Amino acid sequence: MVAKKKKNKELKDKDKVKEVCRRIRVARSYWDAHNNAACRGEREKALVLYETLTPEQKEQIPQQLKVWLRYRSEKYFGKDKPNGMATKRFLHKSKRK
């Protein structure tokens, strides 16, 4: 029998940093695989956890991961993108019909 994981389990300080890094890496792998919906979900979870970190804990996260998280968050999944699909290519296709 497989044990169920607790979803609301409190993470320790060191575990929080590891979990944020893991979630960012998973989101990056989804991004590379062009799985945008899964990438968006993992990125959101990583951002929520990232915001709970102290400044000292944020310094422990590799710079490359922090840059990817912020860059992708603002450029591709920002609030000005309604469904994450507001690209010129998508808009041109819908106008042709």
Side-chain angles (χ1 to χ4, degrees):
M1 183 180 258
V2 179
K4 292 182 180 179
K5 291 184 179 180
K6 293 182 181 178
K7 290 185 179 182
N8 295 329
K9 184 176 125 180
E10 285 295 320
L11 297 174
K12 295 180 182 175
D13 294 341
K14 212 172 199 182
D15 292 337
K16 278 186 182 180
V17 174
K18 283 184 179 180
E19 183 66 12
V20 169
C21 292
R22 185 189 72 80
R23 288 199 181 271
I24 295 171
R25 286 187 180 107
V26 169
R28 283 175 50 185
S29 69
Y30 285 143
W31 178 262
D32 292 339
H34 302 286
N35 190 347
N36 292 339
C39 176
R40 181 184 295 263
E42 282 299 322
R43 183 191 57 83
E44 286 294 326
K45 292 173 190 172
L47 273 174
V48 167
L49 261 178
Y50 182 79
E51 295 301 323
T52 64
L53 298 177
T54 64
E56 293 81 24
Q57 291 172 330
K58 289 180 182 180
E59 290 175 5
Q60 295 175 4
I61 296 176
Q63 186 68 24
Q64 183 180 10
L65 296 180
K66 287 193 284 190
V67 168
W68 187 89
L69 183 66
R70 293 298 179 185
Y71 176 73
R72 296 292 179 220
S73 298
E74 297 300 323
K75 184 170 182 179
Y76 292 100
F77 298 112
K79 294 183 192 255
D80 58 334
K81 303 277 182 168
N83 293 326
M85 298 177 64
T87 60
K88 290 180 182 178
R89 181 176 169 198
F90 176 76
L91 293 174
H92 287 299
K93 283 184 179 179
S94 60
K95 285 182 180 178
R96 290 181 190 165
K97 292 181 179 181

